[in-house]
Structure formats: C-alpha cells, structure tokens
Amino acid sequence: MMLTLTAFYINQSTDDIKHNSTIYLAQHGAEAEPAYSIRHPDPSLPASKNRYAAALYDSYNPEVLFGEVLLIPQWTQPSPTQEEIRLNGGVPPPPQPILPTEFTVQLYNPDQQVVVKQRPKTWNSPPSWEFEMPQQTFRRPSASALDRTQNDPTAADTTPKINFKWKREGTLSRDMVCSLSGKSTNPDGSKRKNREPDITIALFKHLKEITLYEPNLNRVDMEDPKGLEIVLLLSAAIIRDVYYGQMRETFNITEAPRRSSNGAVPGNKMASAATAALYIPPPPLRRHSRSPRSSSAALQSQNTPSNSSFNSPLQKQTSNSRPPPTDPRSQWEIDTETARLKKQVEHEERERKRAEHKEMKRVKKMVEEEEREAQRKRAEIDRETERLRREYLNEQNRLNPQVSGPPLPQRPYTPSGSSSGGLYGGGGSSLRPDDGRRLCGKLSIFSLRSNNGGDAPKLSKKRSAVF
C-alpha cells in the first residue's frame, strides 16, 4: 500500500507581491491548491524598518488571521577607530544587529504564545530550534462560575506540555526535520540515555517543501492539531528567512552611506532639509480568531489584499503622529541625519557667505572699472574740446588779423570839480567837444575861406588872365 503524505509548498504569491508568499497544499495525491498566505509588511514603509514581521492568513478568506510573528533584533555599538570615524565624516558607525536566539509565534482563538528557542551548533551537533505546546488547549465546558475564573489551560503552569525540535539533518545539508522529543523513562529524568526515541513529524526539504507525517502526527497527544500545524508552518518560514537569509534584507536594515568630512553624502549634492527619518512603530497586537466564523465580524473593518499587502496589526498605521521608536538603530539614523543636516546647513552658510563676498568683490571691481571708463571718457572730451577751441581760435585770428605796433596810451581821467580848467572855460570838465577826435575844417559858404589853422593852404586871389 502506497503511503500518501501531506505536503505544503511555499511559492511566490499569486498577487505578484514580492514580499508575500502562498502556501499550497497537496494531500492524498490531489493537485496542490492554495491553503495559506504569508504576508510581510511593505519594505518601503517606515514602520517596517529594522524589524521582521510575518503573518499567516487563510488563502480563501484573506480576513482570517491564524498567527503572526514580530521579531526585533538587539543592537551592539562597535568600537570604531579614528580612521573609520574620519572616513565616515566624523559620525560614529551605526549599531550592528545581533541575530535573535528566539522568537514568539502568536496564535489566536484561543490566544497562545509559542516561544521557539535556538540551540547553537556544537562540534558534534547541528543547530536546532526547540518549542513546546500544551496538551490541553481549550477550556472544558463547565457551569461553575469558579471554573470560569480560572486561567486558560495554555497559560496554566500545571498543564503538561510536549516538546518539539527543528534540527538540521546534517552539517552540510540545509534540510531540517521536526521531531517530537522522547520522554525520559527515569523517574527523576536525569539520564538522557533512558528516554523514548524521537518521533519525526515533519520534514522541511530545500527550504520550500514542508511534509507532514500523518501517521506520526496521530501519535501526538494534543487537543489542537490545527495550532501545531500553524506553528510548524510559521516556524519553518521564520527559520528560513531569519537564520538562512541575509540579515539586512530580512530585517529591512538600510545601509548607512559613507559621508564626507562636511557631512555630505557622495553622489547627493543637495539633500532636502526635511528628510529626517521618522519611524512609526507598529500598533500593539490585536486578537483575531483562527476560526472564520468567529472572526469575520471582528475583521470586517480590515482591508483585503487587493488594497493592502499586509493587513496584520503589525503593519497597520494610523493617521495620528507617533513618537519615533527607541531602538538604537533608528535613533542612530535620526541622530546621524540631524548631524548631517546641521553640517549641511553650516556648509551652505559658508558657501553663501563666500558667494556674497565674491559677488561684492565682483560688483566693486565692476564699479571701479565703470569709474575708470567715465574718467577716460571725460579726458577724451576735454582733449577734444581743447583741440576744437584752438582750431576755432586760429581760424578767427586768420580772418581778423590785429594791427601791428604798440597800443596807444590812454588819457588820464580827471573827475569833475578839479582846479584845472578846460579848454573852454570854467566848466571844469576836461572833455573836449570833439570827444578826442580831430575837427575837420569848416568851409565857408562860398568855399573861399577855410576856418582851419595854418596847416591847410591859404586861398589866394586868382589873377586875371587879361591883366
């Protein structure tokens, strides 16, 4: 008789979202069909920085949330050298993440937390991941009010638990086996050799295929086999992503750019002054049901995958502003961005003052050149004016030549009332009637005599031609 096993295949999501996955179920030789969907928060959202989150939803009813995991790493501050600080522009190096050694799977309806702890490898054993689940999960029906006040069996310390362990098959192999840890046969449980053998219940092949051994699962004494199935699927996916993947990609850690001495990032000449990173922490966990019938009313307000890539409470954001998270990496990014912006502002201020000083020198030099040019033009105008004056003066002298010889002396001016009399009596005025001009001799009416003095020739009597 051929044994048919139940197999789950983790493939890329059918909605073409890179950070989501779909789990297909193949059972009893039938074709593989979608059974679950694993959703991760959008890496581009600020709330998904420096953390890892995954949620398991029903594939046909995307509002039903079965379980989820939120993993925030611890951080360590390295001791940098002076050379590293100088190469990083005076900014200390960023905190480095520490790989977590455990994570918690949160189940709903009933609420239950399953802690998966990592056991590091040794020289003779591969690494393993152990977890335990209670045998009794649900409350027993009771009409007693006292019974209803008791804690759930999952939270009670008296509830017996079963141990499970994921372990690598070999040192070089990446396949893992999940087995039910055997119970010790000693009363005190001190000797390991006296215990039952482990029972293999699941196999994780090539980090893509999870095969469940149903005959062995029937030997597990548990009330909640569905919860065990969800824990197996989620824990296998978390181990694959966190412990076998790249840590920076898994936790969405942004690589810190190397900065120059002035705080500028190479390749980014100008950065906006309002680019300080503000990270919004996820809201607290909300309880959802693993049962579609009981959880449909509480999840009506959530979006479908067509509108949101991850509807888990880990990724939900509200419109109200929230304070930034307190993890060292985010705080370092905020401090680094603040220091970079401060240095950038100081650098821009120095550049502005340098540009203003350069502009003032340029304007001063331009004004001096304009003054020299104005002086040169005035000098040219003066030279041209002098040349024209001389040219016109020479032309005037050529047209109106002056009389050669020394100038005549002027007569002295005597004021009125002086003692010396004039030529014409006691008037006292020295002015002549002719105003200094020589009087011409006046001829008589018959032109026979002249009144002039002896300078003119005297008239003589004309002699008769007869006598």
Side-chain angles (χ1 to χ4, degrees), residues 245-361:
Q246 297 294 330
M247 193 171 184
R248 293 190 176 275
E249 296 180 1
T250 301
F251 291 96
N252 197 17
I253 301 173
T254 56
E255 185 67 25
R258 179 161 293 181
R259 309 183 187 278
S260 59
S261 57
N262 60 356
V265 180
N268 295 334
K269 295 182 179 180
M270 293 296 294
S272 173
T275 55
L278 180 61
Y279 298 99
I280 302 175
L285 294 176
R286 295 171 55 189
R287 297 183 177 182
H288 297 274
S289 172
R290 287 199 307 243
S291 172
R293 181 175 55 186
S294 59
S295 64
S296 58
L299 296 172
Q300 289 297 330
S301 60
Q302 295 187 2
N303 298 328
T304 58
S306 60
N307 298 328
S308 176
S309 60
F310 184 27
N311 296 325
S312 170
L314 299 175
Q315 186 257 354
K316 288 264 186 178
Q317 298 185 26
T318 60
S319 58
N320 299 330
S321 59
R322 296 183 180 135
T326 56
D327 59 279
R329 178 74 182 200
S330 300
Q331 188 63 38
W332 175 87
E333 291 178 357
I334 296 175
D335 296 341
T336 303
E337 184 68 13
T338 303
R340 185 190 69 82
L341 293 177
K342 183 178 179 180
K343 289 185 177 181
Q344 180 180 349
V345 170
E346 294 176 354
H347 178 70
E348 292 176 355
E349 185 68 18
R350 290 193 299 267
E351 291 293 332
R352 185 184 62 81
K353 291 182 179 180
R354 187 180 298 110
E356 289 180 356
H357 182 66
K358 185 178 180 180
E359 182 67 15
M360 290 178 60
K361 291 179 63 177

